[in-house]
Amino acid sequence: MKDSIIVCRCEDVTVKDVKAAISKGAHTPNDIKRLTRCGSGVCQAKICSDLMVEMIHETTGKSYGDIGIHRPRMPIRPVVLSTLLTGGDAGEDI
């Protein structure tokens, strides 16, 4: 896999960045997120999580179950405060 391939489109993280994080001991998606911001963008790792896990598996030999999954952060979807106060439709404000 070419080092210049983008793994995380939201945060512009490349294969090279993820490989570097793994070589520094990042062996879970959350470790990689802390070092590279991969998975921190708008999609909350919906696009890049599988590739991160696959790269960890290929590099370390860890089983998929031992690697774990990306831990999303709240809010999953940004909501305008007035929407929460009025009970309106979040789609109207965004």
Side-chain angles (χ1 to χ4, degrees):
M1 188 179 311
K2 290 184 180 180
D3 285 349
S4 61
I5 293 173
I6 300 291
V7 175
C8 178
R9 291 183 264 170
C10 299
E11 296 295 323
D12 199 31
V13 179
T14 64
V15 166
K16 181 179 179 179
D17 299 327
V18 174
K19 285 180 179 178
I22 293 170
S23 72
K24 291 178 183 174
H27 294 165
T28 70
N30 294 311
D31 292 341
I32 292 173
K33 179 180 178 179
R34 279 189 287 279
L35 293 176
T36 68
R37 294 199 41 83
C38 187
S40 299
V42 175
C43 82
Q44 287 289 293
K46 289 181 184 87
I47 305 298
C48 58
S49 182
D50 290 342
L51 187 50
M52 275 194 288
V53 170
E54 187 62 33
M55 290 177 70
I56 295 167
H57 169 71
E58 288 178 0
T59 305
T60 66
K62 290 176 74 171
S63 73
Y64 294 106
D66 289 339
I67 293 170
I69 60 172
H70 173 264
R71 183 175 40 242
R73 300 289 184 203
M74 297 295 176
I76 300 299
R77 179 173 176 219
V79 177
V80 178
L81 187 57
S82 64
T83 302
L84 296 174
L85 296 173
T86 63
D89 180 20
E92 295 172 358
D93 295 330
I94 295 179

